[in-house]
Amino acid sequence: VNANGGFVVGPGGESIGMKTGDKIVAINGKDFEYMEDLIKLDVLLGENATYTVERDGQRIDLNIPANFIEQLS
């Protein structure tokens, strides 16, 4: 997380369309409380999973592919 509350994105995040500075504001359309919620297996392995990010004042849905974990290894 950078000084502005957004993420510093690496290759894994870039592969789903995240950009440095994005703030994840929802998981599968729902608010979340804990950072750990971002990496729960039901999110990373689920069908039709999404992160909603705030970028430049707009909300954007990013699809998380079902094979996302495989892409990271």
Side-chain angles (χ1 to χ4, degrees):
V1 176
N2 68 19
N4 298 317
F7 284 90
V8 176
V9 178
E14 289 173 348
S15 73
I16 64 169
M18 289 188 74
K19 295 184 178 183
T20 294
D22 283 355
K23 295 179 185 179
I24 299 175
V25 295
I27 303 168
N28 296 329
K30 299 177 184 170
D31 293 339
F32 66 98
E33 282 190 67
Y34 304 104
M35 293 294 288
E36 294 86 16
D37 294 340
L38 298 172
I39 57 171
K40 287 186 175 179
L41 290 179
D42 61 328
V43 172
L44 297 178
L45 297 175
E47 295 285 325
N48 303 315
T50 61
Y51 290 145
T52 303
V53 300
E54 188 173 281
R55 179 186 301 156
D56 300 324
Q58 296 184 352
R59 288 187 172 218
I60 302 167
D61 289 329
L62 302 175
N63 295 320
I64 305 168
N67 67 342
F68 184 60
I69 290 179
E70 294 172 19
Q71 292 178 16
L72 299 177
S73 58

